[in-house]
């Protein structure tokens, strides 16, 4: 009950338009003022809430101090490895990005251990800078372009990884050894990142265009992961059955026509191929919105018309309700942002667990 | 509370291995014997439960009578119109099919009103025969091969229907005028029908092969309908981007290579085309089981090897966990069975509403 009420109070403060007083938190939650005050004191002591200076007295009585999420409390460390870059970022409890580091380099020649050690060093730099700023790392999340199960990367064909214990390798960097690390597919984390942007739709297909192409499906504000967590492999939807061989062993996969390498090489069929795959997804799933992220956010203007032409032609319901196509609001940073957000979200959803850790 | 407890008692009886006594229903539900007895009396009076003859006395005391769902109570009327047949069936509260009528005829030349009047007459025959058998029709559900919204068929390209008020037209037959009629996509209802077969998986993609091809996605025992109820349009997934023109206006749709007309004409690419579309669905959705129904249940042995070869080659995770492919246990009757089941399920889920109707 206390755990539930702590989360309720924290969420009420987080979603208030203006910093609320303890009295207005009590009114909004239906809890007594005494209960709210005790919970707020615990949340302040645990570094989750802060009391803002009261405004100057303008009438009788003591003006109430407003409550807000702290910008100096627990934070999430997001890490991302992709085929051609490493990234790390730190997001605080309010959702603000406090550190963001990117290193561009082809990761394919490196072994998984070396690549993850390099990412660990980058993440450690972000962590140390954030801690110098008063933040406390609650955990880390790692975004990888591949199939993940229980912290292990089962298969990341574009990196050439198989059965890589990515969590352990990342934590091999001494500065990260104390942090819990969760590993997830990059498109899934990116979709969650986009979902957290204020004003985001609650149901959409997020498509991440990198060297590989992945998708994250958000339905009613929840990520649909599939039975084994392997949903969203849109990069391996067949576009031309007898087409180019793909690294996965099949032929004619979307990745071969609309992956970042094909885009950079000016592949004329890129937009059409993407439009065909998205039409398949919309026909199967009935999602009204498609969000293009990763490199697609950069190439959006170039791709848009070609994709929309295919959607109009190939989505059975396009005449009843056109599909909305837009670029990711987080641009190419959605996955690493989503990773850090996922850590923060866990603290926000279960502040009692955080208080036990620091108490 | 009473509505909840009525449903709880009914479900406890329905899912017991042997006909339970009132005392064992009380034990299983945690309700008092007096409460259970009152609820059971109401369910018997409403024609939902029946008390079986007690077994002969073998010792001291009165042997307890066993409770069971009645086979003479409320029943569901399932109706189906497809491009080349009409079907009607009646399912009783125990899930047993009590009537099943099929009329084979090409429905495309007929206007929607004429086709639905013919279906209504077929359904009326099934209803009257079932009522002569002591059943009471709780409602009807109509399966159609098209996009449905609020009882209206927005678009059924293979029938040539647009904006057809199918519910009103079916109820235009005098013998059905008093029945509530819900309208749903045939693949959705067929997927629900398969889900109700004892031993069915809880997560699967059901694919219905008729003149058109539709799919119903069941996740954790629930049908995923999509945002507008238009999910599962696998028949319009593109197989050959520059291929044959489809009735929907696009080119190279699955229906053109693996629809029933292509199968009957011996189309050599049917199995491969179906395998390519199913691979796209599994790559996007991570479903471990694909169930082939409609005409595909009939052609299953002929199609299986070709489909499985594509799944092995094109599903990214096939090496980690092969996709299970099987024929629908309800064969070609899944949709009309699922329609009747859906009506029965509603009575079983909310017996209080039924008791108000008959009380």
């Amino acid at each position: 009950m206390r755990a539930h009420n702590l989360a309720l109070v924290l969420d009420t403060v987080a979603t208030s338009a203006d910093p609320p007083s303890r009295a207005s938190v009590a009114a909004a939650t239906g809890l007594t003022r005494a209960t709210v005050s005790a919970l707020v004191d615990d949340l302040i002591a645990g570094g989750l809430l802060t009391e803002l200076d009261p405004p100057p007295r303008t009438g009788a009585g003591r003006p109430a101090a407003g409550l807000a999420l702290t910008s100096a409390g627990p934070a999430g460390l997001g890490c991302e490895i992709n085929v051609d870059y490493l990234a790390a970022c730190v997001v605080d409890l309010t959702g603000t990005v406090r550190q963001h580091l990117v290193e561009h380099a082809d990761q394919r020649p490196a072994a998984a251990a070396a690549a993850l050690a390099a990412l660990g060093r980058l993440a450690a730099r972000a962590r140390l800078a954030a801690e110098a700023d008063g933040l406390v790392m609650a955990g880390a999340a790692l975004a990888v372009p591949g199939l993940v199960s229980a912290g292990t990367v089962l298969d990341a064909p574009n990196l050439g990884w198989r059965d890589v214990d990515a969590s352990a390798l990342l934590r091999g960097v001494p500065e990260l050894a104390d942090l819990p690390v969760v590993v997830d597919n990059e498109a899934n984390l990116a979709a969650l990142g986009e979902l957290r942007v204020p004003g985001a739709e609650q149901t959409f297909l997020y498509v991440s265009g990198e060297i590989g192409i992945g998708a994250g499906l958000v339905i009613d504000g929840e990520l649909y992961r599939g039975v084994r967590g392997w949903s969203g492999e849109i990069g391996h939807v067949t576009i031309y059955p007898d087409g180019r061989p793909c690294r996965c062993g099949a032929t004619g996969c979307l990745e071969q026509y609309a992956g970042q390498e094909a885009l950079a090489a000016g592949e004329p069929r890129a937009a059409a191929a993407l439009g065909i795959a998205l039409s398949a997804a919309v026909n199967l799933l009935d999602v009204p919105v498609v969000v293009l992220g990763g490199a697609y956010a950069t190439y959006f203007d170039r791709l848009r018309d070609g994709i929309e032409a295919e959607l109009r032609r190939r989505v059975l319901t396009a005449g009843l309700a056109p599909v909305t196509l837009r670029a990711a609001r987080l641009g190419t940073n959605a996955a690493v942002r989503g990773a850090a957000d996922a850590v923060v979200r866990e603290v926000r959803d279960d502040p009692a667990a955080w208080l036990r850790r620091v108490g």
Side-chain angles (χ1 to χ4, degrees), chain A residues 85-111:
Chain A
Y85 64 88
L86 303 171
C89 83
V90 175
V91 168
D92 69 22
L93 206 58
T94 72
T96 305
V97 177
R98 301 290 290 274
Q99 298 290 331
H100 189 199
L101 302 172
V102 182
E103 251 177 45
H104 291 276
D106 193 333
Q107 303 302 318
R108 283 169 291 195

Side-chain angles (χ1 to χ4, degrees), chain A residues 276-287 311 313-318 323:
Chain A
I276 290 168
L278 292 176
S279 298
V282 175
N283 277 324
L284 286 167
L285 296 167
D286 182 28
V287 277
L311 289 171
R313 193 165 161 235
R314 298 189 183 275
V315 170
L316 187 64
T317 58
V323 180

Side-chain angles (χ1 to χ4, degrees), chain A residues 37-286:
Chain A
S37 253
L39 295 168
V40 163
D41 287 341
D42 288 349
L43 291 167
I44 291 174
L48 295 164
L49 286 186
T50 186
E51 213 147 21
L52 304 175
D53 285 337
R57 264 183 77 147
T58 53
R62 194 165 62 93
L67 296 166
L69 297 176
T70 53
S71 52
L77 177 61
C79 306
E80 182 184 6
I81 178 159
N82 221 309
V83 179
D84 52 349
Y85 64 88
L86 303 171
C89 83
V90 175
V91 168
D92 69 22
L93 206 58
T94 72
T96 305
V97 177
R98 301 290 290 274
Q99 298 290 331
H100 189 199
L101 302 172
V102 182
E103 251 177 45
H104 291 276
D106 193 333
Q107 303 302 318
R108 283 169 291 195
L116 285 166
L119 177 57
R121 289 191 296 273
L122 190 73
R125 274 173 51 206
R127 177 188 188 170
L128 293 176
E131 288 180 343
D133 221 14
L135 294 164
V136 184
M137 240 25 68
L142 169 62
V144 294
L147 300 168
V148 176
S149 183
T152 294
V153 182
L154 299 177
D155 192 8
N158 289 308
L159 286 168
W161 291 10
R162 281 239 165 186
D163 293 318
V164 170
D165 187 346
S167 172
L169 289 171
L170 191 72
R171 295 173 75 211
V173 175
E175 294 91 337
L176 304 179
D178 61 318
L179 283 189
V181 176
V182 299
V183 185
D184 202 346
N185 175 272
E186 61 97 17
N188 281 351
L189 287 169
L192 287 175
E194 277 294 306
L195 177 66
R196 301 302 173 209
V197 175
E201 300 87 350
Q202 294 296 295
T203 298
F204 60 89
L205 183 73
Y206 178 92
V207 181
S208 171
E210 306 286 353
I211 304 288
I213 306 169
L217 175 62
V218 175
I219 301 171
D220 291 338
E222 300 277 341
L223 186 68
Y224 171 73
R225 293 179 173 276
V227 171
R228 280 85 44 117
W230 301 336
S231 67
E233 292 296 345
I234 197 170
H236 301 282
V237 164
T238 305
I239 306 301
Y240 299 102
D242 306 313
R244 297 182 191 145
C246 180
R247 274 173 286 256
C248 75
T251 51
C253 293
L254 175 65
E255 273 184 21
Q256 297 306 313
Y257 302 91
Q260 209 177 331
E261 289 172 330
L263 284 174
E267 165 62 51
R269 289 175 291 183
L274 196 46
I276 290 168
L278 292 176
S279 298
V282 175
N283 277 324
L284 286 167
L285 296 167
D286 182 28

